[in-house]
Amino acid sequence: MTAVRNTASAAVGLDRTLVLLMAAATGFAIANIYYAQPVLPLIGHDLGGAGSVNFIPTATQIGYSGGIILLVPVGDRVDRRRLILAQCVGLTLALLSFAMATSAVLAIAASVAIGLFATIAQQIVPFAAQLSAPETRGRTVGTVMSGLLVGILSARTLSGVVAEWAGWRSVFWLGASLALAMAAMLYPRLPHSAPSTQTPYGQLIASLGRIVLDEPELRRAAMTQGLLFAGFSAFWTILAPLLAGAPYHLGSEAAGLFGLLAVGSVAVAPLAGRLADRRGPRSVVRVGTVVVLAAFLLMLLDSHLATLAIGVVVMDVGVQVAMIGNQATIYALAGTAPGRFNTIYIAIMFALGAVGSASASAAWSAAGWRAVMMVAAAAAACAVILQIVPSRRSALSQGVAL
């Protein structure tokens, strides 16, 4: 594929302020899919149907998965600025609907819409990469990903604090206000983009399968990050139950504090981006996979609070470093299809993350925390191996050169 520079990049430029604005918008967008998780008991008490409201996080993830498949590729054939702003409006309306829900069914329906429109985050990341010069793409992606990771890690804590002081509906009123503010901030600064393809929508979606088959490095990047995300998801799925039991006997607030502890590690993302620009993304990904494996092995051997605190920071640093390298790789390959490449990458990552969560729950029930960490370490070890083994295309290229 031949890379096509966005016409807006030359005219407007991707300055530091715009990069930071895109990073903030990415964090605000992704946070919305996690707001409901800490406040489910409050929602159930207010709306009734306590068992039904437990489906809200799943409904949000279903909406998010649908948005990744159905909306993110559209960025390749329309002005991505208009698409992002339209999704901001949709997200605002979805959050308002949740805040005003009078039944669990309405809250679940609003959750699907929240997930669908929260894929703004997956529109902004490829847009930032598309607007960047090749020599600074890794740094730009690293900065924008910092915002995304802050949103993921801080959303539950923010939601819990706001709900405790002002009720669960205030969480979603606040989310709607932030979504609207996000649109207002992006409107004057976000450049227009020229569509990179005129492929009809149906063919655009159908082309995802062909891209998967034709791009071995995309498959490697997606599978590597998916395996790391499986371990990451396993950890966060079981952390609260672990801390609630002996010998800790800590409440859910403690898991939130671990999330805040991990937020501090986002500073590594821009550094990883710069390293990817200088040394190549593959070397950065390899470092990240080894760091994640080391974190899980550490927490497998020792589960004291101090060890867990160190482990969560090391794990998060490794996941971020690998993600920056992998995304720099796919955007360098994407050419005129950054949205579709990102769709495939994120879809595979989230699918393996769901497998990691399910496997962790089974391992926890069967044999406790060590079994969970064995699952996570095995996934990370597979990611390391995947980065060590050369791809078939690389091997063939070396053979031709010889």
Side-chain angles (χ1 to χ4, degrees):
M1 291 185 180
T2 302
V4 176
R5 277 298 299 276
N6 188 302
T7 56
S9 63
V12 178
L14 191 61
D15 59 35
R16 181 67 175 170
T17 302
L18 181 55
V19 172
L20 293 175
L21 179 59
M22 296 174 84
T26 302
F28 287 145
I30 196 68
N32 289 282
I33 69 175
Y34 300 105
Y35 283 153
Q37 293 182 5
V39 297
L40 287 177
L42 298 177
I43 296 172
H45 181 268
D46 193 12
L47 299 182
S52 298
V53 300
N54 289 332
F55 187 68
I56 286 174
T58 303
T60 309
Q61 291 289 351
I62 289 172
Y64 195 76
S65 300
I68 289 171
I69 300 296
L70 300 176
L71 290 182
V72 174
V74 178
D76 291 339
R77 72 181 306 271
V78 303
D79 179 357
R80 204 181 291 272
R81 176 183 184 272
R82 292 179 179 173
L83 182 58
I84 288 170
L85 293 174
Q87 286 194 229
C88 287
V89 174
L91 180 59
T92 301
L93 295 175
L95 288 161
L96 290 174
S97 297
F98 198 109
M100 295 184 289
T102 56
S103 70
V105 172
L106 291 176
I108 289 169
S111 296
V112 174
I114 289 171
L116 183 75
F117 292 116
T119 51
I120 297 165
Q122 302 308 328
Q123 301 288 2
I124 293 176
V125 176
F127 194 20
Q130 187 180 7
L131 291 169
S132 301
E135 63 271 15
T136 61
R137 183 175 291 125
R139 187 188 318 166
T140 299
V141 171
T143 301
V144 175
M145 287 302 299
S146 296
L148 184 142
L149 291 163
V150 168
I152 290 174
L153 294 169
S154 62
R156 298 177 183 87
T157 303
L158 174 65
S159 175
V161 170
V162 171
E164 181 177 350
W165 287 96
W168 69 266
R169 293 184 189 273
S170 297
V171 174
F172 296 92
W173 286 112
L174 175 62
S177 300
L178 291 174
L180 196 59
M182 179 169 61
M185 290 187 297
L186 291 173
Y187 181 80
R189 292 300 313 274
L190 205 61
H192 290 276
S193 68
S196 58
T197 180
Q198 296 299 322
T199 304
Y201 179 74
Q203 294 180 28
L204 195 74
I205 301 301
S207 70
L208 295 172
R210 187 178 68 253
I211 292 172
V212 171
L213 294 175
D214 291 346
E215 297 291 345
E217 288 304 315
L218 171 60
R219 295 196 301 270
R220 183 205 295 267
M223 289 297 297
T224 298
Q225 199 63 43
L227 288 164
L228 297 181
F229 195 59
F232 179 93
S233 299
F235 173 87
W236 287 109
T237 297
I238 303 302
L239 179 62
L242 171 71
L243 296 178
Y248 313 107
H249 302 293
L250 298 173
S252 58
E253 301 84 4
L257 291 175
F258 270 84
L260 289 179
L261 183 66
V263 166
S265 64
V266 300
V268 77
L271 300 177
R274 293 189 183 94
L275 185 60
D277 290 333
R278 291 200 301 265
R279 301 289 299 273
R282 186 71 177 274
S283 60
V284 172
V285 175
R286 286 175 173 171
V287 169
T289 58
V290 171
V291 169
V292 174
L293 176 58
F296 290 140
L297 291 176
L298 174 66
M299 292 186 286
L300 171 64
L301 296 173
D302 185 15
S303 58
H304 287 89
L305 282 177
T307 304
L308 292 176
I310 294 170
V312 72
V313 174
V314 174
M315 173 193 68
D316 198 59
V317 166
V319 169
Q320 291 179 56
V321 167
M323 182 175 286
I324 301 309
N326 279 320
Q327 290 198 296
T329 296
I330 69 168
Y331 293 133
L333 294 170
T336 60
R340 281 168 284 172
F341 271 61
N342 194 52
T343 290
I344 293 164
Y345 175 79
I346 295 297
I348 292 175
M349 188 182 87
F350 270 82
L352 289 178
V355 171
S357 294
S359 300
S361 296
W364 173 255
S365 298
W369 176 250
R370 288 185 182 274
V372 173
M373 286 297 96
M374 289 177 67
V375 168
C382 289
V384 172
I385 293 169
L386 198 57
Q387 284 299 309
I388 293 174
V389 176
S391 67
R392 185 183 178 193
R393 178 175 292 183
S394 298
L396 288 175
S397 299
Q398 292 171 5
V400 171
L402 292 172

